[in-house]
Amino acid sequence: ISGDLFDARFVTKDTVDTVMRDFASLPTCKFFISPGNHDPYNEVSVYKNYVFPENVHVFSGSKECVRLSELGVCVYGMGFTSNEYISSPVAGYGKLDRDMINILVCHGDMTKGSKYGPVTENDIAASGFDYVALGHIHQKTEVLKAGDTYYAYPGCLQGRGFDETGHKGAYFGIISKGNAELYWKQFSSRRYEWIECDVSGASNKAEVIDLIRPQLYGLSNDTALRITLKGTVKGAFILSSADFGESNALPYRIDIIDKTETEPDISALEKENTLKGLFYRLAEEKLQSATEEEKATLNDALKIGLAALEGRDIPLDI
């Protein structure tokens, strides 16, 4: 378990007790935990203040090795002791026993310049480990290889928001000398997805829905979907999740972020001696001198106002 098992800011005793019971229920399974930036090993951490079952080993701030002679395995690891760690968690373990299967469990980030255990592909290739189990990134990678070392991010077990899209799970399988036969197992029953759709040129709600529907294929009722609409549209309309209807073939939740700009029939509106024409001219006057932030609000107001003045339904949740 390569860090962030807990979120130190919000962890409760009930959560810790549940995790402890799960560890203890599998006494023949050995667990290794390298604390990460969200659950660092320090004076106030769960790892320092609770007694974990005997089959659980928590790596503290120093780099260390646990030798499992009966399995022919050495498990290495180190834990964060604060929210940041600016050295490589992969380097600095000294000479490895080549007769053993050497596995490293660590929290690390392969993003250049990261403050959360910076790791490079060269670090991994030079490490000499048979497998590096990485944590920190909540999106899985394939099982990769640098030099003679296999490595992977499994992602997290369950997405918690639209910044953690897709189904989630973990890797399992067999690591041997020179090989890693690992398979990804889905754990999540639901997922978050986020799509962007250019609806430029659409003049009504039906046309927008027709442009979106092809992107919904394969997204069933296990999905919470966020749709960002962009482009320049010709008509004034407000789209809501109710416009897609209800079906097991549709996401169970649809959020819509409307970033379109309205391009109505300007020549007609500018001359129209109606409330709608007056509303448009006032909005257009304000747009001329508005900041970028104010323009976003005014564009929303223009779409909603024109739709209302045309007698269109305005969703209550906008």
Side-chain angles (χ1 to χ4, degrees):
I1 300 174
S2 302
D4 293 353
L5 174 61
F6 301 103
D7 191 327
R9 299 169 300 168
F10 307 113
V11 64
T12 64
K13 185 176 183 302
D14 286 345
T15 298
V16 178
D17 289 343
T18 298
V19 173
M20 294 291 200
R21 284 195 300 270
D22 287 341
F23 284 144
S25 71
L26 298 166
T28 61
C29 183
K30 294 177 171 61
F31 295 89
F32 295 89
I33 304 173
S34 286
N37 61 302
H38 284 288
D39 58 353
Y41 189 98
N42 54 32
E43 293 302 316
V44 297
S45 76
V46 168
Y47 304 118
K48 196 75 177 285
N49 291 284
Y50 287 83
V51 178
F52 280 70
E54 291 183 0
N55 60 329
V56 180
H57 182 87
V58 180
F59 292 105
S60 58
S62 58
K63 294 177 178 179
E64 58 177 304
C65 169
V66 177
R67 190 179 182 91
L68 304 173
S69 299
E70 71 279 14
L71 295 176
V73 175
C74 286
V75 183
Y76 293 77
M78 58 80 56
F80 281 37
T81 56
S82 66
N83 294 333
E84 295 182 3
Y85 184 79
I86 60 174
S87 300
S88 171
V90 173
Y93 289 89
K95 189 176 180 180
L96 307 181
D97 187 341
R98 298 300 178 187
D99 294 328
M100 303 288 278
I101 298 169
N102 297 293
I103 299 173
L104 172 63
V105 182
C106 72
H107 201 73
D109 187 359
M110 298 187 75
T111 305
K112 187 175 180 180
S114 174
K115 299 182 288 186
Y116 306 110
V119 178
T120 67
E121 193 172 335
N122 288 337
D123 289 338
I124 295 172
S127 69
F129 290 107
D130 294 290
Y131 182 72
V132 177
L134 288 168
H136 184 67
I137 304 301
H138 292 192
Q139 197 71 32
K140 82 174 180 75
T141 66
E142 299 303 315
V143 177
L144 305 170
K145 192 176 185 183
D148 294 325
T149 303
Y150 291 90
Y151 68 99
Y153 286 100
C156 52
L157 293 180
Q158 177 66 60
R160 298 169 299 166
F162 288 103
D163 58 339
E164 296 178 347
T165 57
H167 281 300
K168 303 297 182 180
Y171 277 111
F172 75 100
I174 298 172
I175 296 169
S176 55
K177 208 66 184 168
N179 198 18
E181 296 180 25
L182 299 178
Y183 308 92
W184 191 79
K185 172 71 173 176
Q186 179 182 316
F187 277 76
S188 63
S189 58
R190 287 187 168 184
R191 59 176 165 165
Y192 291 89
E193 296 292 354
W194 194 335
I195 63 173
E196 187 174 77
C197 190
D198 190 332
V199 294
S200 293
S203 57
N204 56 58
K205 192 183 294 188
E207 290 179 6
V208 172
I209 293 173
D210 285 343
L211 290 169
I212 294 172
R213 281 202 185 280
Q215 296 195 51
L216 302 187
Y217 296 146
L219 300 179
S220 61
N221 64 350
D222 70 347
T223 306
L225 176 65
R226 177 169 287 173
I227 305 171
T228 299
L229 303 178
K230 66 175 187 177
T232 302
V233 294
K234 296 178 179 178
F237 47 83
I238 306 298
L239 194 66
S240 75
S241 58
D243 294 315
F244 292 92
E246 293 185 9
S247 166
N248 287 336
L250 289 172
Y252 73 89
R253 168 180 167 181
I254 298 177
D255 289 351
I256 297 167
I257 299 175
D258 189 348
K259 291 189 175 181
T260 60
E261 295 184 0
T262 305
E263 190 178 68
D265 186 347
I266 296 173
S267 58
L269 281 173
E270 283 180 338
K271 299 174 183 176
E272 198 171 295
N273 190 24
T274 62
L275 183 57
K276 188 169 70 172
L278 175 60
F279 172 75
Y280 172 77
R281 290 190 291 275
L282 287 172
E284 185 61 27
E285 183 181 327
K286 289 183 179 293
L287 279 166
Q288 297 302 319
S289 59
T291 64
E292 288 304 311
E293 185 176 353
E294 289 169 339
K295 283 179 181 178
T297 302
L298 285 166
N299 271 314
D300 285 344
L302 184 59
K303 282 182 281 189
I304 294 168
L306 289 176
L309 290 167
E310 290 173 4
R312 302 179 189 270
D313 291 334
I314 307 297
L316 295 176
D317 57 349
I318 61 171

